Amino acid sequence: MSLFSMPFSGTSVDTALHVVASVVMLGTIAAIGIGFWKFHELPIHKAASKEHHQIGLITALTWIGFIWHWVWVLAVIIAFVDGEQALRRLRDIWHTDHPNNVNKNESAPVTTQEKQLVEEQTNA
């Protein structure tokens, strides 16, 4: 066999190899498409599993995210961040005194988590 000859050219093996290559190519394209679709639907599945109150908004943002990708990022943030807990935390931060404004005789307010931690340490 020389360097210029084509092996399997003009035989039935040539046709079979083309069919196998076509099947592999189409399978690869389908697998990439399905993987992209599953990844893109991640915010909707997360919101459904958490029974999120804004599942309609997350779904709409996910679909719009196919065109404008930054909108999909908003859907991910809304789906994965617990909004109620974040608002409670912001409220607690807003209502606590700033450490520089606290009198030296007064101590900073103790949160319920700190109380539970102290109770666990004393019980241990």
Side-chain angles (χ1 to χ4, degrees):
M1 179 163 75
S2 71
L3 293 175
F4 299 109
S5 67
M6 297 289 289
F8 309 118
S9 180
T11 63
S12 60
V13 175
D14 183 36
T15 306
L17 290 174
H18 277 84
V19 169
V20 168
S22 299
V23 168
V24 168
M25 182 183 69
L26 291 174
T28 303
I29 291 170
I32 289 171
I34 291 170
F36 179 74
W37 181 264
K38 295 276 188 185
F39 182 72
H40 206 269
E41 293 287 316
L42 185 67
I44 295 173
H45 295 298
K46 181 66 174 181
S49 68
K50 287 178 27 177
E51 297 179 4
H52 203 282
H53 298 293
Q54 297 292 333
I55 194 161
L57 173 66
I58 293 168
T59 304
L61 290 175
T62 301
W63 282 98
I64 294 170
F66 276 114
I67 299 168
W68 295 309
H69 301 296
W70 63 270
V71 177
W72 181 80
V73 174
L74 290 177
V76 170
I77 292 170
I78 293 170
F80 281 86
V81 173
D82 186 7
E84 293 176 12
Q85 184 180 9
L87 286 175
R88 272 189 247 118
R89 180 73 179 133
L90 284 173
R91 182 196 62 205
D92 292 344
I93 291 171
W94 182 264
H95 288 295
T96 57
D97 288 334
H98 193 274
N100 294 336
N101 296 337
V102 176
N103 292 336
K104 295 189 190 285
N105 297 334
E106 296 178 7
S107 62
V110 178
T111 63
T112 56
Q113 293 175 347
E114 291 173 348
K115 288 179 186 177
Q116 290 173 351
L117 183 61
V118 169
E119 288 176 9
E120 289 175 2
Q121 290 175 351
T122 56
N123 292 337

